[in-house]
Amino acid sequence: MRRKASAFLLAAGILFAISNPANATDLKGMHPIGNAIAVVNPSKPSNSVVIDCDDKSQVCLQVLAPDLVRVRASFQKSLPLHDHSWAIERADLAQLPTTVSETKDAIILETSALRIVVKLKPLLISFYDIQTGRLINADSLAMQFDPTSGAVAATKSLGAADAGGANGLEEHFYGLGEKAAHLDKLHQKFEMWSSDTPGYTLATDPIYQSIPFYIGLLTEPADTVSRISSTQNTPNVTKTVDALSPDKTRDLAYGMFFDNSFHTHFDMGSSDPKTVSFQSDGGEMNYYFFYGPSMKKVVTRYTELTGRMPLPPKWALGHQQSRWSYGSEQEVKEIVTRYRKDKIPLDVIHLDIDYMDDYRVFTFNHDRFPDPPGLMKWLADRGVKVVTIIDPGVKYEPGGSYKVFNEGTAKNYFLKQTNGEPYVGKVWPGESVFVDYTLPEAAKWWGDLHSSLLQAGVSGIWNDMNEPADFESRDGLKWKDVVNYDDGEHSKHAKMRNLFAMLECKATYEGLKRLRPNDRPYVITRSGFAGIQRYATMWTGDCNSTWDALALSIPMFETLGVCGEPFVGADCGGFLGQTNGELLTRWYQVGFLSPFFRNHHAKDNNYQEPWRFGQQYEDIIRKYVELRYRLLPHLYTVLAEAHETGVPWIRPLILEYQDDKNALNVDDEFMVGDELLCAPVLKAGATSRDVYLPAGEWYDYFTNEKYKGDQHVLVQAPLDKVPLFVKAGSVLPTGPVVDFIGQGSEQSSGQAAEQPVKFEIFPDNAGSATGHLYEDDGHTPAYLTGVCSHRTLKFTNGKLTSSSDKDNQETTVSDSLVVLHNSR
Ligand code: GLC
């Protein structure tokens, strides 16, 4: 194994020399779509129109909500009748009355939020705010295609300039999923081609996940507002000087989701500072345009379309420990014993690949793990859950006795190539085959295979290597003739690669749900596509044990959050290389606020559990793990908000302060909900840092020192302190420090702990504060049918009241549960 591990670490080093993703097709060589000549079904009102073009192309515009329009184009042929997407959860959004009108130059659709103008010659689509008449987004070129390669492209003006390039604003870009990049994606290029990229660094692209969704934020100086509103109106729009939008953001956000799973390319003003283009090597031109104008509204609508994260079991919010690998039952017990002895809370231990028999999925190595149910019972008695890794590669063993391989082969569930032969790749077990998760019966079979793990006492599943990783074809080229059933389309890898992980996680999630209907499934994934949040939480793969990697994790979390994935985390301490006490400690000062909070490290000689670098570091790490547990009522409330609205747990400042120019690219700080702001130390040896505090007033969480916002402040941050601020006017629900979530309630109903929640009050200048508390049983799906409680907390005149959203009854909270932070 040591030999295999070194091969892996070596592969990490040479990775970028061998991965050679295809380049985007040159836009200049592509054909524009023909001119529009007729509207096929202009029934009024209708929620969609189909437009015929003079080259036999067709374009469909479908209004799914007043602020959501789908654009679908087919080049030199009619739109196909088959219309299926793995990303979309809700295709049945309301059929909305939409007014369709035609002029001699254009077709115009109007909703209560948008005016969509389709100019006929050339065919150019523009989106306007219906109330202010402001241009939000416009094609700068007609949509394009390449008849030889099948590539399709859309090109938009950067900064909502009109087709002539006039009146553009400044524009910033957020999103594109898991990218090793800063928060603002302006002037950069990105690709979507899910890739196994151990040791990635800033600018490695693509990496594991493929989420072809971004948010554009148009920013303008206040004094240009009236100029823009009076010059960018479409014909017949009532001009308005008050260009402030209905939800009162001055800077306007829109979303763009290119629902195409082929290898895609996004050029955010990199090749041409005046345009943004997105293109794909194949498949349909099929995108969704969302209008905010607030970023939060875009995220909410995007997650309505692609689905929101179901709540995981509450214990998944606990501290988790992992290593590649804890190689024996004895070692696992030693680790947990030490955790309990040192009084560091711990909820989960992960079993990496070495728990298996020669990496055969759904088996245990009985030499090193002789009694899995016994081990899991021993761990459960100490409040620790087990998550096991499951990779998609199934050991290829013709003629052997490996049940999973034999059954999958007999039932024809493994992916085959066009020549009818199974595709055999190389992963941890050596030669491996992979399931076609698009086959409904194969997906069910895979899900059901988890029953053996659940019976042994496993609580969650970690789906790794699902780009899919293949040591002999990291770029997936050898997979090119692999065919998936794909809803009867029999699609090749070019379309299916980016979807593979989501389909695996779907099979896993649905399997766990079937097998244990009364427990919430907990699945962790490395790769994914838009919509992955419906099935799995995620972590950011094989990051380095470096300060740069720690810093990079923050824009990655923030970006994933605005792309609908709220439950994210990085390997605390870093995965590859050697961490040290200081780096591990600072990493915990980020990790304790990240949703997925797991210490994990690669197979080499270094161990990085909290006690490995001496007492000084261990004591500080314990303090932050304890703070995580104290903050759980607040964190769980924030997570429930993400489940209900899509607005993430970790938020870039710009999401909360959309009109604040200073917040546009702040990505060395983050917010948790709208109350907490964390500005971690991200440099070796630093004991202070500059912090930008947005408008308002802020408390230092630890000292109660009060700061005015809208300014940069220099904050002292010795090793035991992370600069953590609470917005004045907040109520933070907090709980007790426990060894594990639910401690104390094990004997009763099996429900989450009924420990008293205390309320920390950070009053504003008027002495008031507000907050929220969400609670449910913490482990069953009952919350989905309303078995949960939302309370609004209000602090005025020295009294805290709580009212439930069910009956609005206000009760006074006992003073014994109130902790008042008086500012210094
Ligand atoms: C991959 C995973 C890593 C895991 C290792 C062995 O590199 O990203 O987390 O420990 O495989 O399973």
Side-chain angles (χ1 to χ4, degrees):
M1 186 57 231
R2 179 90 52 228
R3 202 169 48 77
K4 284 191 183 166
S6 331
F8 164 80
L9 297 173
L10 182 68
I14 59 168
L15 170 74
F16 305 113
I18 57 176
S19 120
N20 179 24
N23 288 326
T25 308
D26 186 354
L27 291 174
K28 290 197 191 85
M30 293 175 88
H31 292 227
I33 196 164
N35 294 329
I37 46 173
V39 178
V40 180
N41 55 344
S43 50
K44 301 171 193 174
S46 149
N47 80 319
S48 68
V49 293
V50 176
I51 300 167
D52 277 346
C53 302
D54 60 8
D55 64 346
K56 298 202 168 52
S57 298
Q58 276 194 327
V59 177
C60 176
L61 279 89
Q62 188 183 7
V63 173
L64 296 168
D67 49 14
L68 172 55
V69 183
R70 179 182 180 196
V71 177
R72 198 175 166 218
S74 173
F75 299 95
Q76 293 183 334
K77 56 180 190 275
S78 304
L79 287 159
L81 291 179
H82 189 73
D83 182 19
H84 171 257
S85 162
W86 293 102
I88 304 298
E89 176 165 77
R90 287 200 55 190
D92 63 333
L93 292 168
Q95 302 279 301
L96 285 149
T98 306
T99 314
V100 183
S101 56
E102 291 180 64
T103 67
K104 74 177 187 354
D105 306 320
I107 299 157
I108 300 167
L109 282 80
E110 290 183 351
T111 74
S112 57
L114 282 172
R115 167 171 293 107
I116 306 123
V117 178
V118 185
K119 208 168 146 264
L120 306 182
K121 296 175 191 168
L123 196 160
L124 296 171
I125 306 172
S126 306
F127 300 90
Y128 296 82
D129 181 317
I130 191 101
Q131 295 192 22
T132 64
R134 290 171 61 182
L135 179 62
I136 309 303
N137 186 265
D139 283 346
S140 73
L141 293 176
M143 291 179 277
Q144 289 169 287
F145 68 105
D146 179 0
T148 318
S149 67
V152 296
T155 307
K156 309 273 175 186
S157 296
L158 199 151
D162 61 26
N167 299 316
L169 304 176
E170 193 178 306
E171 184 161 5
H172 299 269
F173 297 103
Y174 305 96
L176 298 176
E178 188 190 37
K179 289 291 162 207
H182 284 290
L183 179 65
D184 183 358
K185 308 291 186 288
L186 179 64
H187 296 147
Q188 294 168 73
K189 281 188 196 177
F190 297 96
E191 293 179 40
M192 303 292 163
W193 186 246
S194 296
S195 301
D196 173 17
T197 47
Y200 63 88
T201 54
L202 183 73
T204 303
D205 188 64
I207 57 169
Y208 306 103
Q209 294 210 354
S210 299
I211 316 285
F213 167 70
Y214 66 84
I215 296 175
L217 180 65
L218 297 159
T219 73
E220 62 184 65
D223 61 0
T224 59
V225 168
S226 58
R227 173 179 68 79
I228 285 150
S229 64
S230 61
T231 54
Q232 292 199 338
N233 286 333
T234 53
N236 307 324
V237 177
T238 317
K239 293 190 174 147
T240 162
V241 184
D242 174 15
L244 271 188
S245 306
D247 62 359
K248 300 295 177 210
T249 61
R250 190 186 61 219
D251 293 344
L252 307 181
Y254 68 87
M256 197 65 84
F257 170 41
F258 186 22
D259 187 9
N260 179 315
S261 60
F262 284 70
H263 191 153
T264 49
H265 310 261
F266 289 78
D267 187 328
M268 317 308 285
S270 162
S271 307
D272 170 4
K274 293 205 178 102
T275 62
V276 174
S277 70
F278 48 92
Q279 64 168 286
S280 167
D281 293 358
E284 281 192 12
M285 174 47 64
N286 175 26
Y287 70 84
Y288 293 80
F289 175 84
F290 308 77
Y291 180 39
S294 79
M295 288 172 74
K296 278 192 184 172
K297 185 152 161 261
V298 173
V299 175
T300 294
R301 195 62 97 183
Y302 169 74
T303 52
E304 188 179 11
L305 187 72
T306 59
R308 301 205 176 111
M309 189 200 70
L311 285 176
K314 201 168 180 183
W315 54 260
L317 278 73
H319 179 217
Q320 315 193 17
Q321 180 65 56
S322 183
R323 176 175 175 78
W324 174 25
S325 301
Y326 293 126
S328 68
E329 175 175 316
Q330 192 47 36
E331 194 176 15
V332 170
K333 287 184 175 174
E334 278 165 22
I335 295 290
V336 171
T337 303
R338 180 72 189 256
Y339 260 105
R340 290 295 176 249
K341 177 175 150 292
D342 287 14
K343 298 286 296 162
I344 302 175
L346 182 76
D347 263 274
V348 184
I349 193 139
H350 289 243
L351 296 185
D352 205 327
I353 47 176
D354 296 287
Y355 79 86
M356 292 182 253
D357 172 20
D358 213 7
Y359 310 124
R360 291 178 184 89
V361 284
F362 304 107
T363 66
F364 279 95
N365 177 313
H366 287 288
D367 291 335
R368 284 177 282 111
F369 291 87
D371 177 17
L375 171 64
M376 309 231 187
K377 162 92 178 48
W378 185 94
L379 291 165
D381 288 345
R382 286 152 186 81
V384 175
K385 309 277 190 298
V386 172
V387 169
T388 46
I389 200 166
I390 286 288
D391 290 340
V394 173
K395 192 173 174 66
Y396 178 69
E397 281 198 301
S401 57
Y402 178 29
K403 190 167 154 266
V404 178
F405 176 79
N406 291 342
E407 236 177 66
T409 306
K411 294 183 168 163
N412 239 335
Y413 290 161
F414 295 124
L415 284 167
K416 292 204 173 110
Q417 307 177 80
T418 38
N419 62 9
E421 292 297 314
Y423 179 79
V424 183
K426 218 169 210 174
V427 216
W428 304 124
E431 292 195 319
S432 306
V433 288
F434 305 83
V435 171
D436 182 354
Y437 297 108
T438 67
L439 275 174
E441 55 281 16
K444 175 161 188 308
W445 171 72
W446 184 262
D448 288 346
L449 286 174
H450 292 80
S451 68
S452 61
L453 294 173
L454 298 191
Q455 273 160 25
V458 168
S459 298
I461 300 296
W462 167 19
N463 281 163
D464 186 23
M465 308 295 275
N466 51 9
E467 292 68 34
D470 179 348
F471 301 150
E472 291 195 336
S473 183
R474 285 183 183 270
D475 54 12
L477 274 182
K478 280 179 69 183
W479 289 66
K480 72 178 179 13
D481 290 328
V482 172
V483 186
N484 290 246
Y485 167 68
D486 188 26
D487 203 34
E489 282 186 49
H490 302 284
S491 305
K492 288 210 189 160
H493 197 60
K495 176 183 173 197
M496 300 311 294
R497 180 180 185 83
N498 288 342
L499 293 165
F500 182 88
M502 183 160 82
L503 294 164
E504 182 206 19
C505 292
K506 178 174 188 287
T508 306
Y509 177 87
E510 287 171 355
L512 297 182
K513 205 163 130 180
R514 253 191 330 272
L515 294 166
R516 280 209 187 139
N518 289 328
D519 283 339
R520 302 175 192 171
Y522 181 44
V523 181
I524 304 158
T525 186
R526 191 167 75 175
S527 184
F529 189 70
I532 182 68
Q533 65 273 9
R534 306 199 294 264
Y535 312 113
T537 61
M538 66 87 61
W539 100 110
T540 54
D542 298 348
C543 60
N544 294 316
S545 292
T546 61
W547 290 91
D548 285 348
L550 171 60
L552 180 58
S553 71
I554 295 173
M556 290 179 73
F557 296 164
E558 293 176 332
T559 298
L560 283 156
V562 299
C563 292
E565 287 188 72
F567 206 90
V568 298
D571 290 340
C572 218
F575 178 72
L576 288 173
Q578 164 89 63
T579 193
N580 57 52
E582 184 193 3
L583 178 57
L584 184 69
T585 304
R586 291 302 193 188
W587 211 308
Y588 265 89
Q589 292 174 355
V590 173
F592 87 104
L593 286 177
S594 47
F596 179 55
F597 179 27
R598 181 185 72 165
N599 178 333
H600 178 51
H601 191 251
K603 188 181 271 287
D604 54 25
N605 292 324
N606 317 313
Y607 279 75
Q608 65 181 32
E609 292 77 16
W611 53 86
R612 300 287 181 186
F613 301 94
Q615 197 66 49
Q616 178 203 359
Y617 301 109
E618 183 182 355
D619 288 346
I620 303 173
I621 290 170
R622 181 187 303 101
K623 169 176 148 182
Y624 284 94
V625 180
E626 287 179 352
L627 184 52
R628 160 70 162 222
Y629 281 72
R630 282 228 305 279
L631 288 171
L632 275 172
H634 171 63
L635 299 176
Y636 196 53
T637 301
V638 172
L639 188 61
E641 186 185 345
H643 159 68
E644 284 158 11
T645 69
V647 176
W649 165 325
I650 291 201
R651 304 178 188 173
L653 272 53
I654 192 69
L655 193 65
E656 288 295 330
Y657 299 90
Q658 183 169 317
D659 292 336
D660 183 347
K661 300 271 180 290
N662 295 320
L664 286 167
N665 199 12
V666 174
D667 62 8
D668 59 354
E669 304 177 18
F670 61 93
M671 299 199 62
V672 172
D674 61 6
E675 297 93 347
L676 285 176
L677 185 152
C678 181
V681 172
L682 305 168
K683 289 198 176 83
T687 52
S688 64
R689 65 157 285 176
D690 172 88
V691 179
Y692 176 66
L693 293 171
E697 288 194 311
W698 299 86
Y699 286 77
D700 179 314
Y701 179 76
F702 299 102
T703 65
N704 289 337
E705 186 173 348
K706 218 168 171 189
Y707 293 86
K708 280 224 170 324
D710 203 13
Q711 62 164 339
H712 287 262
V713 290
L714 183 70
V715 177
Q716 294 308 308
L719 189 61
D720 66 348
K721 180 167 177 185
V722 65
L724 179 64
F725 299 88
V726 187
K727 193 167 77 183
S730 303
V731 176
L732 285 187
T734 56
V737 174
V738 283
D739 288 341
F740 59 92
I741 291 170
Q743 187 178 28
S745 65
E746 311 91 298
Q747 306 306 326
S748 58
S749 60
Q751 297 200 338
E754 292 297 328
Q755 310 272 10
V757 171
K758 292 206 167 170
F759 300 93
E760 298 198 28
I761 315 285
F762 299 84
D764 61 17
N765 280 340
S768 310
T770 54
H772 297 274
L773 176 63
Y774 171 83
E775 291 177 302
D776 62 23
D777 68 30
H779 69 112
T780 78
Y783 72 100
L784 292 169
T785 51
V787 186
C788 56
S789 110
H790 289 85
R791 283 195 276 158
T792 300
L793 304 154
K794 281 199 183 120
F795 182 77
T796 37
N797 302 324
K799 282 280 159 218
L800 181 68
T801 58
S802 151
S803 52
S804 151
D805 67 349
K806 289 216 168 93
D807 54 16
N808 263 331
Q809 286 288 322
E810 202 172 83
T811 52
T812 301
V813 178
S814 153
D815 285 348
S816 64
L817 298 178
V818 173
V819 182
L820 189 58
H821 288 251
N822 286 311
S823 63
R824 288 203 296 118

